[in-house]
Amino acid sequence: MKISHSLFIFLLCPLIFSCAPSRFVKPLEKGQKAVSLNLGGGLFDFGGVTMPMPLSSITYGYGLKEKTTLYGSLHTTSLLFGVGQIDLGAVHQLKAQDNWVPAITVSPMANMAIDRWEGRFKFWPQVDVNMYWHYLQKKNFIYTGLMNWFDITNQNPHRSKSFAYIWAPMVGHTFVRSKMNYNLELKYIALNRRNDQSVVAYKGINGHGVIAIYFTVIRKF
């Protein structure tokens, strides 16, 4: 069966569309704006060499309130294949850091994608729960969290169910500067699912999930 370019991209879900780093783990200051660019993705075998997929996206964030930031993202790599994907979400701080007791945030998000040729549309709700710790005079911080991703419009013909739940733990570190932040994140995507039926030779553990690596640059205004 011949697969169009757009359908090929759709069939890589969730390992493509869920393959993005955390947008904002910590809320911005009230009224603050930020633009970020991230690069990276799931590890896969390319000619015998393991490397991360060169996926990219651009994100804009706005500090609506002291504890709440709104954001939106455009996935630039999938756009090159004729699939437009945007993410709209927010991050809200539930608890502040108390010495070594971490701060806790929650980030609900709506992921939407449509291809330009056949008009396929997909919608994925997502909820991330994060914890972060400041150190070094409360500037840099480390974080960990859990991504919860729900595929409610599954279009993969290899699956009989129309609903899929994907979860992914992550850990990261953010270097904080006055105007710039630099972030590294390691994520283990879909570890509750096997990857041996994927059209891409992803790298997981014991044939499950995908290990992903990301680098993000954030400019604050």
Side-chain angles (χ1 to χ4, degrees):
M1 180 179 66
K2 186 177 180 180
I3 300 177
S4 67
H5 287 90
S6 60
L7 181 57
F8 176 79
I9 295 296
F10 269 68
L11 294 184
L12 290 183
C13 299
L15 304 180
I16 285 287
F17 293 111
S18 64
C19 201
S22 304
R23 300 309 186 186
F24 290 95
V25 171
K26 175 186 174 182
L28 298 170
E29 297 177 4
K30 182 178 179 180
Q32 189 176 45
K33 305 174 183 66
V35 176
S36 70
L37 172 65
N38 72 267
L39 180 65
L43 299 180
F44 73 110
D45 182 81
F46 183 75
V49 177
T50 298
M51 61 181 294
M53 297 195 76
L55 304 177
S56 63
S57 62
I58 299 174
T59 301
Y60 173 80
Y62 173 70
L64 180 66
K65 299 180 179 180
E66 181 181 355
K67 297 181 179 180
T68 304
T69 290
L70 304 179
Y71 59 83
S73 299
L74 174 65
H75 290 242
T76 49
T77 301
S78 61
L79 194 62
L80 297 177
F81 289 89
V83 177
Q85 184 191 359
I86 61 172
D87 308 330
L88 300 175
V91 59
H92 179 73
Q93 182 174 290
L94 300 176
K95 179 185 177 300
Q97 181 177 347
D98 183 10
N99 294 320
W100 286 103
V101 178
I104 300 175
T105 61
V106 61
S107 181
M109 185 191 310
N111 303 281
M112 294 163 282
I114 187 170
D115 77 85
R116 60 175 293 186
W117 294 285
E118 301 177 37
R120 291 186 184 87
F121 176 78
K122 287 183 70 71
F123 169 74
W124 305 269
Q126 176 179 329
V127 179
D128 294 357
V129 180
N130 311 292
M131 298 184 296
Y132 66 88
W133 297 262
H134 281 283
Y135 70 96
L136 291 182
Q137 299 178 347
K138 298 184 177 181
K139 291 186 177 181
N140 300 343
F141 62 90
I142 58 176
Y143 65 89
T144 184
L146 182 67
M147 181 199 79
N148 300 276
W149 186 89
F150 307 92
D151 185 356
I152 60 177
T153 56
N154 177 30
Q155 296 182 12
N156 192 328
H158 297 293
R159 304 192 204 118
S160 59
K161 297 181 179 180
S162 60
F163 173 83
Y165 166 60
I166 304 299
W167 56 289
M170 65 272 196
V171 61
H173 183 281
T174 300
F175 299 90
V176 179
R177 301 296 182 263
S178 59
K179 294 295 184 179
M180 303 290 296
N181 286 4
Y182 304 94
N183 189 79
L184 291 171
E185 182 173 300
L186 177 67
K187 181 179 288 185
Y188 190 3
I189 303 170
L191 72 166
N192 56 324
R193 299 177 61 177
R194 295 197 60 82
N195 61 20
D196 51 6
Q197 292 185 346
S198 174
V199 294
V200 177
Y202 287 112
K203 297 296 182 178
I205 298 176
N206 294 326
H208 286 79
V210 181
I211 297 172
I213 299 175
Y214 309 93
F215 175 67
T216 304
V217 177
I218 303 171
R219 176 66 164 90
K220 297 172 289 186
F221 301 91

